[in-house]
Amino acid sequence: MYISKSFIPILKNNPSEAKIKSHQLMLRVGMIKQSSAGIYSWLPLGFKVMKKIENIVREEQNKIGAQEILMPTIQSSEIWKESGRYEDYGEEMLRIKDRQNREMLYGPTNEELVTDIFRSSIKSYKSLPQLLYHIQWKFRDEIRPRFGIMRCREFYMKDAYSFDISDDEALFSYNKFFLSYLKTFKRLDLTAIPMAADTGPIGGNLSHEFIILAETGESKIFTDKRIFDVDNEDTKLEKKSLENLRKKYEQFYSVTDEKFNQEEFEKKVSEKNRLKTKGIEVGHIFYFGDKYSKPMGGSVDLPGGKKDFVKMGSYGIGVSRLVGAIIEAKYDEKNEVMKWPISVAPYDLAVIPMINKNDTSALEKANKINIELKKNNIESIIDDTDENFSSKIKKMNLIGAPFQIIIGKQSDGELLEFKEIGKETKKINLTQIIKIIKEQKVKN
Ligand code: ATP
Ligand code: MG
């Protein structure tokens, strides 16, 4: 892609309305455009990143056997009256009337709708477990939308739902999602820690939030530092192995402020391991048994002939919020350098030829390079403008492709100036460059 033809409306300076770095960068490089309070359009650069995140989320859901569906954004109030949440949910729910004067709403979450889908088709324990998920826009009329897409009103979420025959089986499903979340965030090059959390309006008694440490986060967290060393490498998708994984995490005190207790914190965590900080909630999982299946009549036949209500859990990931969370973790705002993890980078590589009006040989060289890159599935962005060198570099540093090739006066013959953002420039040939980038892509 040529910069001159791309829709990447870069601003010269940081927009003054943005208070945190993810919001600043997203407006600065035109990843999003606000359309009204807490509601955004996603422009090509932002949309590309979000779609790549979405795909990683999807792959990790599929790996644990969850099946993808797509439920609508608009729901009928009927099912929410059945569960009893229509009144409880309050002003965060956007309520709409259609032309027949029927009460509709823009879904803030989908427990009711998915329970309705389940109950109409699944009748026997033999079809369990069922793990269903969708990736869809949600609307919550947040009282204070802020920080760009981090806390907005319309946002993109992956929400999954599990249906099981017993508490024991349901915990098995819960633990599958627990593992899949750790793997998902790792592929995004983020360290997310699972923390015991409150269940809020979703209800239930077991819940974990997945939090990324960040000064600008809105969640206060209290944790034992040793939790960062827990690894999940040898966890298998089996009951015992997954139980052990949760135990490995749960042995360390780690909670959000709703569950915080000073005395317990001091008792369980030695002074040197205590960490009080802030973080961004990127995922949240809940187990709530028959909270929805009971009032809504979601039951199945059991082996002996009796019936019982299915035991359910729900599992959310803030797909659009993750775009901001990655920026919070990776953007060096002081030097104005962003480095996207290769797994979600809008472009793998920036090609920066030095062009002046009389000499376009560097651009010709860039075009030739690009043919080879394409053959190797490496996506590049080429700065084909005749701006000066430092402004070209500045722009590419904001766009954040993790690798750069600079084609200047010194690049003679086969050797090219190549750098991974944040590292030293090397002089190597194109074959070596392709090898380095491909190796990184495979790892992710
Ligand atoms: P928060 O505590 O941040 O308001 P929540 O607990 O209400 O979030 P959940 O119902 O757990 O949110 O939703 C699942 C995920 O969706 C959250 O972990 C978060 O990543 C994302 N999310 C929730 N609300 C918003 C929002 N207003 N804007 C962007 N993402 C959101
Ligand atoms: Mg939550």
Side-chain angles (χ1 to χ4, degrees), residues 252-266:
F252 300 116
Y253 188 85
S254 146
V255 299
T256 57
D257 55 350
E258 295 127 4
K259 288 225 158 184
F260 178 63
N261 177 308
Q262 182 76 31
E263 222 172 281
E264 208 184 343
F265 188 44
E266 284 172 14

Side-chain angles (χ1 to χ4, degrees), residues 140 197-199 202 207-210 281 283-286 316 321:
R140 294 183 187 172
D198 244 14
T199 51
I202 306 275
S207 173
H208 286 88
E209 281 180 8
F210 289 77
E281 179 193 326
H284 198 166
I285 61 178
F286 303 86
R321 180 181 285 181

Side-chain angles (χ1 to χ4, degrees), residues 46-104:
F47 193 59
K48 258 171 112 93
V49 174
M50 184 165 72
K51 284 283 145 180
K52 287 193 172 181
I53 296 173
E54 173 186 346
N55 220 27
I56 289 177
V57 170
R58 172 176 289 116
E59 282 173 12
E60 293 301 323
Q61 296 291 293
N62 293 344
K63 276 187 198 159
I64 59 165
Q67 302 170 74
E68 187 169 12
I69 60 175
L70 183 59
M71 293 177 266
T73 53
I74 306 291
Q75 303 180 18
S76 156
S77 65
E78 296 300 316
I79 46 177
W80 287 74
K81 287 180 181 161
E82 280 187 55
S83 74
R85 273 209 297 183
Y86 192 60
E87 300 310 325
D88 293 353
Y89 215 93
E91 303 220 274
E92 266 192 23
M93 183 189 273
L94 180 65
R95 295 156 206 256
I96 313 163
K97 279 207 174 133
D98 71 8
R99 67 203 301 172
Q100 258 86 30
N101 222 24
R102 277 187 292 246
E103 292 171 324
M104 312 294 285

